[in-house]
């Protein structure tokens, strides 16, 4: 075999063997030393490729027991933080947003466990209405940690939505998402022009940069909204 240039090429070859059942689920694969000899590379290069496959759950590594192809590998969905404007435009509609509330306030107590900003610290709270061709599309409630993104206090929210501004200006390392349904209260029913009690789809998301929480957002979509993703 031609000598690989990097651990990623070795990983792709190992992945091919797993996907094509050259190595069956549950089977122990050759050891690092044997693979290094086969590929003509350093053992550390093979180790890096195997560690990456282990992190995805495709192989299981145990000390002194070798590396085994997972019998039930995890199936993961790919989720990204969407720019609401782009989501609306992808539907063939024109997007606009209106910031109806923008103020500095303490984080409410019920959010402290999930979004642990320092005690007594203020956050920027915003409420934003998003429209698709002047039809209600999404109601956004957001707390943003001013310690993590101090410049957001002067962000031009009339020209660009806070959602899009944060995607462009606030890098994150990890996040947490929850998906659920609620019944429209009087305020949401008014905005979405639907009966009180109508089922509405909600996404709550928290993003972090290292140990620093960035933003906590709750997005409530118009009746009938569907989310699609890939696995």
């Amino acid at each position: 075999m031609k000598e690989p240039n990097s651990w990623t090429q070795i990983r792709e070859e190992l992945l091919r063997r797993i996907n094509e059942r050259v190595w069956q689920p549950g089977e122990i694969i050759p050891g690092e030393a044997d693979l290094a000899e086969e590929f003509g590379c350093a053992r550390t290069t093979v180790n890096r490729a195997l560690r990456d496959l282990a992190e995805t759950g495709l192989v299981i590594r145990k000390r002194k027991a070798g590396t085994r192809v997972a019998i039930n590998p995890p199936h993961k969905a790919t989720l990204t933080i969407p720019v609401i404007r782009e989501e609306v435009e992808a539907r063939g509609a024109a997007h606009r947003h209106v910031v109806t509330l923008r103020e500095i306030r303490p984080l409410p107590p019920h959010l402290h466990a999930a979004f642990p900003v320092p005690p007594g610290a203020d956050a920027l709270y915003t409420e934003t209405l998003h429209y698709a061709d002047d039809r209600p599309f999404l109601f956004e409630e957001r707390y943003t940690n001013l310690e993590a993104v101090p410049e957001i206090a002067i962000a031009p929210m009339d020209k660009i939505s806070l959602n899009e501004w944060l995607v462009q200006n606030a890098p994150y390392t990890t996040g947490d998402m929850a998906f659920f349904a609620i019944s429209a209260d009087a305020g949401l029913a008014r905005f979405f022009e639907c009966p009180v009690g109508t089922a509405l789809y909600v996404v709550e998301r928290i993003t972090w940069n290292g140990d620093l929480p960035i933003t906590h957002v709750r997005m409530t979509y118009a009746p009938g909204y569907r989310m699609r993703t890939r696995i």
Side-chain angles (χ1 to χ4, degrees):
M1 174 176 290
K2 183 180 178 181
E3 182 177 342
N5 294 323
S6 67
W7 69 267
T8 57
Q9 290 181 310
I10 294 175
R11 178 197 60 193
E12 291 307 307
E13 172 58 21
L14 301 182
L15 182 61
R16 181 192 68 79
R17 297 181 188 184
I18 292 171
N19 289 337
E20 295 182 5
R21 295 297 194 264
V22 176
W23 295 330
Q24 295 293 319
E27 180 180 346
I28 294 179
I29 69 174
E32 290 181 7
D34 293 333
L35 290 171
E37 182 178 355
E38 176 187 349
F39 292 124
C41 66
R43 183 169 173 173
T44 54
T45 306
V46 172
N47 180 274
R48 179 67 182 86
L50 288 172
R51 281 193 289 115
D52 187 79
L53 290 175
E55 288 171 1
T56 64
L58 292 173
V59 300
I60 298 171
R61 309 189 74 195
K62 291 186 178 180
R63 189 176 180 84
K64 297 183 180 180
T67 301
R68 187 183 301 272
V69 179
I71 296 177
N72 296 308
H75 299 278
K76 298 182 179 180
T78 301
L79 297 174
T80 59
I81 294 180
V83 173
I84 297 169
R85 174 186 58 80
E86 294 177 349
E87 185 178 7
V88 169
E89 291 175 350
R91 296 165 177 258
H95 172 265
R96 70 179 178 91
H97 72 280
V98 178
V99 179
T100 58
L101 183 59
R102 173 179 179 168
E103 64 183 24
I104 306 297
R105 62 163 70 167
L107 193 73
H110 72 274
L111 289 182
H112 276 287
F115 194 65
V117 299
D122 286 331
L124 175 66
Y125 176 72
T126 53
E127 293 183 358
T128 305
L129 309 179
H130 294 266
Y131 295 86
D133 280 346
D134 291 325
R135 296 289 300 169
F137 179 73
L138 183 153
F139 175 57
E140 173 191 316
E141 304 166 88
R142 184 185 297 269
Y143 284 92
T144 304
N145 183 8
L146 291 172
E147 181 184 357
V149 199
E151 59 272 28
I152 201 170
I154 57 172
M157 296 183 197
D158 58 329
K159 302 181 183 300
I160 182 173
S161 73
L162 195 50
N163 156 255
E164 188 164 358
W165 189 93
L166 284 166
V167 168
Q168 295 177 2
N169 295 279
Y172 65 95
T173 56
T174 189
D176 178 80
M177 300 181 74
F179 309 90
F180 54 94
I182 63 171
S183 297
D185 60 16
L188 290 171
R190 231 177 358 256
F191 172 56
F192 289 119
E193 301 173 358
C194 66
V196 171
T198 298
L200 301 174
Y201 179 76
V202 177
V203 175
E204 281 191 352
R205 182 175 63 238
I206 303 171
T207 50
W208 302 72
N209 189 356
D211 294 330
L212 197 62
I214 300 173
T215 190
H216 178 290
V217 61
R218 175 170 170 150
M219 296 171 290
T220 304
Y221 289 83
Y225 177 84
R226 291 186 179 185
M227 173 178 282
R228 293 185 181 276
T229 186
R230 303 181 68 182
I231 57 174

